[in-house]
Amino acid sequence: MTRSPENDVKKGPWSIEEDQKLIEYIQKHGQGNWQTLPKKAGLNRCGKSCRLRWTNYLRPGIKRGGFSAEEEATIIALHKELGNKWSRIAAHLPKRTDNEIKNFWNTHLKKKLLKRGIDPTTHKSIPDFNLLNLLQAQLLSVSNLYNFINPLDPALNYNLQANSKDFVKIQILQKLMQVINPNPTQYFQGNSNLGDLIQHNTDLTIDPLQAESMIAGFSNISPLLNQQHTSTSNSLPCFDGEMIPSPILDDNVKDYPSNTYNSEYSLPSLVSVTPDSSIFNNLESIEQSHIPTEASEQSSVFDALENLVNDEASSSFWKYILG
DNA sequence: AACCACATCAACCGCCAGATA
DNA sequence: TTATCTGGCGGTTGATGTGGT
């Protein structure tokens, strides 16, 4: 025997009248059998829908919205212990429903933990978090380079556009950036620069040595950056022709003791910088030698990305990121 | 004012486990 | 023992709200 079909029942948001009918019936008769309740209560709804409406919305004593800091901490702690067992978590929070806790987790707490560099699935710190920052900045650099090379000439962008695989990768990186910094106005704008990005992300910490590697990484992607970097090492380059002061690249940072540097966060396999390169003096040479379809130009970014994604230790995090 | 992108959350769907015939 | 019913759970969807351009 199969279950009776409930195709003719109403779906979607509940009206005030429906709510009233359900409340009045349950107050008078109790919950009883949810399967038969709708008919008895005069509702054209399935029993499941009635039960959900009652338990998540109409039931007396339900507290909705406005999660306190204590409740937040409790949810995080319980989630660490129980995982996505929302009903069990809700049992520890009187007046809260599992559905609301689940929604609150997915819309607020998950992002909060990610911003703190904590994997919301495992509740462990994300080993790749600083590297993710690096990728974010590198993508910005790449995007700026494209903008700089070619605001108008489609021929110069042709090779990039023809390489759909790299486009997919760029899209993934863009998504990574959105996770860290959901403000979309910072991406793919000609005047964006690394300094703005770092200053904006006040939550994020960037290891000084890593910042050095970051510049090296930029240089691999953008020869123009490389040239500027070598000319003023205590400034961060940007593509609008200005140099912005960088507090993380002063002389003290250069002497940053290597034994305090956590190699776990180091940049994997960046190609060495070639500061004396002289082929970037004009756009033509850039076009000939450094259009990004040349695998070597983007490899540092994408190799790093692929290494991250393939790392089992952080797979749940990346699974979340890549959706 | 219109449009767009993103965030929020109520509600739905499919699955599962325990109860029952 | 098996088939079916029922309630509960977690994941997902889609309508709506909000803020930025």
Side-chain angles (χ1 to χ4, degrees), chain A residues 239-255:
Chain A
F239 283 107
D240 55 9
E242 296 177 15
M243 300 298 286
I244 53 169
S246 169
I248 61 172
L249 287 174
D250 59 18
D251 290 342
N252 294 333
V253 167
K254 286 184 181 233
D255 295 326

Side-chain angles (χ1 to χ4, degrees), chain A residues 182-197:
Chain A
N183 181 356
T185 61
Q186 295 198 41
Y187 314 131
F188 302 103
Q189 293 178 353
N191 291 330
S192 297
N193 58 54
L194 176 62
D196 288 343
L197 189 69

Side-chain angles (χ1 to χ4, degrees), chain A residues 110-300:
Chain A
K110 228 172 176 178
K111 291 170 191 170
K112 211 167 193 175
L113 290 179
L114 274 171
K115 277 215 161 189
R116 291 178 193 164
I118 297 169
D119 185 334
T121 305
T122 63
H123 290 263
K124 292 176 181 172
S125 61
I126 300 162
D128 311 319
F129 191 60
N130 283 350
L131 184 52
L132 183 59
N133 297 339
L134 169 62
L135 287 167
Q136 177 183 15
Q138 285 191 335
L139 175 59
L140 189 67
S141 174
V142 171
S143 68
N144 279 341
L145 176 61
Y146 294 156
N147 288 336
F148 179 80
I149 290 174
N150 180 25
L152 296 172
D153 183 358
L156 291 176
N157 269 347
Y158 172 77
N159 285 335
L160 171 65
Q161 291 173 6
N163 194 333
S164 60
K165 189 181 174 186
D166 284 349
F167 252 125
V168 170
K169 290 175 178 177
I170 286 173
Q171 286 176 337
I172 292 171
L173 280 167
Q174 189 181 6
K175 189 169 180 182
L176 295 175
M177 292 169 73
Q178 288 171 346
V179 169
I180 283 190
N181 181 356
N183 181 356
T185 61
Q186 295 198 41
Y187 314 131
F188 302 103
Q189 293 178 353
N191 291 330
S192 297
N193 58 54
L194 176 62
D196 288 343
L197 189 69
I198 292 171
Q199 284 169 8
H200 183 86
N201 282 304
T202 52
D203 289 352
L204 308 180
T205 55
I206 296 180
D207 185 285
L209 277 185
Q210 193 178 7
E212 292 255 23
S213 300
M214 194 183 289
I215 296 303
F218 292 150
S219 303
N220 291 316
I221 301 161
S222 164
L224 192 75
L225 271 174
N226 176 35
Q227 206 170 30
Q228 291 183 342
H229 172 53
T230 55
S231 63
T232 45
S233 63
N234 62 342
S235 299
L236 288 171
C238 54
F239 283 107
D240 55 9
E242 296 177 15
M243 300 298 286
I244 53 169
S246 169
I248 61 172
L249 287 174
D250 59 18
D251 290 342
N252 294 333
V253 167
K254 286 184 181 233
D255 295 326
Y256 196 81
S258 60
N259 60 352
T260 62
Y261 175 60
N262 186 352
S263 62
E264 186 182 15
Y265 298 150
S266 63
L267 180 69
S269 309
L270 281 178
V271 182
S272 63
V273 185
T274 53
D276 57 347
S277 176
S278 59
I279 58 173
F280 317 121
N281 293 331
N282 54 54
L283 291 179
E284 186 181 354
S285 64
I286 292 173
E287 179 189 1
Q288 287 171 350
S289 306
H290 291 86
I291 289 296
T293 48
E294 297 289 335
S296 60
E297 297 302 330
Q298 290 185 5
S299 61
S300 60

Side-chain angles (χ1 to χ4, degrees), chain A residues 14-173:
Chain A
W14 280 62
S15 67
I16 297 169
E17 292 75 22
E18 286 176 312
D19 282 347
Q20 204 57 42
K21 279 185 182 177
L22 184 57
I23 291 168
E24 282 175 10
Y25 180 86
I26 292 178
Q27 281 176 346
K28 203 169 180 181
H29 303 95
Q31 293 176 20
N33 187 324
W34 286 111
Q35 213 59 36
T36 57
L37 184 147
K39 203 172 182 179
K40 291 177 183 172
L43 288 162
N44 188 27
R45 294 273 183 175
C46 69
K48 219 172 185 179
S49 180
C50 293
R51 184 178 57 81
L52 233 64
R53 183 65 180 169
W54 176 256
T55 54
N56 288 338
Y57 200 87
L58 300 175
R59 186 162 47 99
I62 286 183
K63 190 178 166 190
R64 303 182 66 246
F67 279 85
S68 67
E70 289 75 19
E71 285 177 312
E72 263 191 47
T74 304
I75 293 169
I76 292 170
L78 287 168
H79 187 274
K80 185 178 181 181
E81 189 185 337
L82 303 169
N84 292 358
K85 302 294 178 189
W86 306 116
S87 59
R88 290 184 65 188
I89 293 172
H92 291 79
L93 291 156
K95 300 179 180 179
R96 298 289 188 186
T97 69
D98 54 355
N99 204 40
E100 191 177 22
I101 292 170
K102 178 174 59 183
N103 282 332
F104 185 62
W105 174 266
N106 286 327
T107 56
H108 293 96
L109 296 182
K110 228 172 176 178
K111 291 170 191 170
K112 211 167 193 175
L113 290 179
L114 274 171
K115 277 215 161 189
R116 291 178 193 164
I118 297 169
D119 185 334
T121 305
T122 63
H123 290 263
K124 292 176 181 172
S125 61
I126 300 162
D128 311 319
F129 191 60
N130 283 350
L131 184 52
L132 183 59
N133 297 339
L134 169 62
L135 287 167
Q136 177 183 15
Q138 285 191 335
L139 175 59
L140 189 67
S141 174
V142 171
S143 68
N144 279 341
L145 176 61
Y146 294 156
N147 288 336
F148 179 80
I149 290 174
N150 180 25
L152 296 172
D153 183 358
L156 291 176
N157 269 347
Y158 172 77
N159 285 335
L160 171 65
Q161 291 173 6
N163 194 333
S164 60
K165 189 181 174 186
D166 284 349
F167 252 125
V168 170
K169 290 175 178 177
I170 286 173
Q171 286 176 337
I172 292 171
L173 280 167

